[in-house]
Amino acid sequence: MKSLHRESLVIHGGESPTDPHGALVSPLYQTSTFVFPDAETGGRRFAGEEAGYIYSRLGNPTVNLLEQRVAALEGMEAGAAAATGMGAVAAATMAFLKAGDHVIASDCIYGCSFALFSHLFERFGVHVSFVDMTDAAALASAFQANTKVVFVETPANPHLKIIDLKKVGQVCAKHPEVRLIVDNTFMTPLLQRPGEFGAHLVVHSATKYLNGHGDVVAGVITGSLEDIHLIKMTTLKDMGATMSPHDAWLITRGLKTLALRMEKHCATAAVVADFLVAHHAVAKVYFPGLKSHQGHGLIGSQMASAGAVIAFELKGGYQAGVQLLNQLEMIRVAVSLGDAESLIQHPASMTHSPLTPEAREQAGITDGLIRISVGLEHVDDIIADLAQSLQQLETHTKHTPQSEVTEVENV
Ligand code: 4LM
């Protein structure tokens, strides 16, 4: 199956046509437990002496198909499905950590990943250094004798900072005891395969593009057979953040259109980014597709495309951002990304509110930053909605007494 194109792997990856009725679509095994033919077989399965399902927290055929499909897409040997993206991040990292260990994480990551590392890990005696990984020397000097995990998110949530995975991979290769774990949520394996640059494990919030329909929260981890076995037998099995068969079935269904969806998401986002750049109410646009973007040069080598998430700041700062969101008619004000619906949100008060103001400043997340996940609607409708809201902003600003528009005047 590895020889198929990724556009085919989203449909066929990991499949084994074993259904006794010849069903085209793999059935949903909506069962909590599996009946053993006899007591001895049950014992052998528990002992790991015989293959076979036991209980859905330990494995389920519907979940297993999704795991193998995402692994095939990432070019990895095996996969483990988790109940949420955070379940995947926690299970993948904690399987390799114990009290006294050290983690290096990129300085701009999803808010709850930051909370897990900086709040929870510290409570269990694991110290985390947040490092600007665009600086390979800073990464190299952050290693300690007890460093066990390097965690990278690229493009970074929310402002799409790009980290050069090849450089990070080269630095990590000097520390064979360290696991390099990359969160590939924003790219999907269709646009970026971190394993090609030395990542040992790749995690996803499958809630986003992989599922793509806004009706599931889920996560997936891919890596070597050995690492995935360890994760399944320790953190996933015993902390229990495993995926439900129904969610796996929905994601497997959603995955079939991933290639088509990504093509459309990305094409539309490029046009929306150009619109924002040209708009006089917009102060700054963060989108890897723009030549001015810090990571633009890695498109074509590390990433096949810029993706479909854009961050921007308005000249009117926070106040204007809030107004922009409130005046939108079609675009939905909501966190999450990768859905058919365009979603817009304010990271400082929403997805990245778990960061302290100091951590947000270090990560470059300003109070005026807005993030939009460009959906699958017609590009003209997305732009028209943004334009009408920006227009109202200007009208409002023009008619507002000067004392109330200090933020506009200050920019
Ligand atoms: C959001 N993100 O940004 P679950 N990794 C990355 C993410 O963006 C997320 C997760 C992991 C957003 C959720 C509200 C790069 C989530 C965590 O939400 O646990 O599936 O994924 O809007």
Side-chain angles (χ1 to χ4, degrees), residues 162-245:
I162 306 292
I163 293 160
D164 188 328
L165 288 175
K166 193 172 166 193
K167 285 189 185 156
V168 170
Q170 282 165 351
V171 174
C172 290
K174 296 190 181 117
H175 303 270
E177 70 291 356
V178 166
R179 291 294 187 295
L180 171 58
I181 304 179
V182 176
D183 188 327
N184 201 23
T185 299
F186 272 47
M187 283 282 99
T188 82
L190 290 187
L191 303 184
Q192 174 173 279
R193 297 212 283 191
E196 292 170 356
F197 306 99
H200 302 103
L201 292 150
V202 178
V203 295
H204 283 275
S205 168
T207 313
K208 313 297 181 324
Y209 294 106
L210 295 187
N211 180 52
H213 291 72
D215 46 14
V216 158
V217 280
V220 180
I221 310 162
T222 64
S224 69
L225 275 168
E226 198 184 343
D227 280 356
I228 292 297
H229 181 72
L230 178 80
I231 290 166
K232 282 189 169 179
M233 287 301 122
T234 58
T235 43
L236 266 186
K237 173 170 80 67
D238 296 336
M239 295 198 298
T242 41
M243 186 185 285
S244 83

Side-chain angles (χ1 to χ4, degrees), residues 93-271:
T93 50
M94 291 169 77
F96 302 97
L97 295 170
K98 61 177 186 334
D101 285 344
H102 174 244
V103 174
I104 306 172
S106 45
D107 62 355
C108 187
I109 53 177
Y110 170 55
C112 291
S113 299
F114 177 86
L116 173 73
F117 295 165
S118 63
H119 306 156
L120 267 181
F121 276 18
E122 292 288 344
R123 266 176 48 189
F124 293 94
V126 174
H127 181 64
V128 184
S129 305
F130 293 95
V131 173
D132 177 4
M133 292 201 200
T134 57
D135 180 352
L139 171 62
S141 61
F143 277 85
Q144 301 176 5
N146 55 347
T147 304
K148 293 287 160 47
V149 165
V150 172
F151 184 89
V152 183
E153 199 180 285
T154 180
N157 189 352
H159 58 35
L160 299 315
K161 180 158 89 171
I162 306 292
I163 293 160
D164 188 328
L165 288 175
K166 193 172 166 193
K167 285 189 185 156
V168 170
Q170 282 165 351
V171 174
C172 290
K174 296 190 181 117
H175 303 270
E177 70 291 356
V178 166
R179 291 294 187 295
L180 171 58
I181 304 179
V182 176
D183 188 327
N184 201 23
T185 299
F186 272 47
M187 283 282 99
T188 82
L190 290 187
L191 303 184
Q192 174 173 279
R193 297 212 283 191
E196 292 170 356
F197 306 99
H200 302 103
L201 292 150
V202 178
V203 295
H204 283 275
S205 168
T207 313
K208 313 297 181 324
Y209 294 106
L210 295 187
N211 180 52
H213 291 72
D215 46 14
V216 158
V217 280
V220 180
I221 310 162
T222 64
S224 69
L225 275 168
E226 198 184 343
D227 280 356
I228 292 297
H229 181 72
L230 178 80
I231 290 166
K232 282 189 169 179
M233 287 301 122
T234 58
T235 43
L236 266 186
K237 173 170 80 67
D238 296 336
M239 295 198 298
T242 41
M243 186 185 285
S244 83
H246 187 237
D247 286 349
W249 191 87
L250 283 170
I251 299 165
T252 306
R253 172 179 154 129
L255 260 184
K256 291 184 186 184
T257 55
L258 181 66
L260 285 173
R261 287 187 283 109
M262 290 316 289
E263 209 176 303
K264 170 89 169 154
H265 275 300
C266 295
T268 306
V271 181

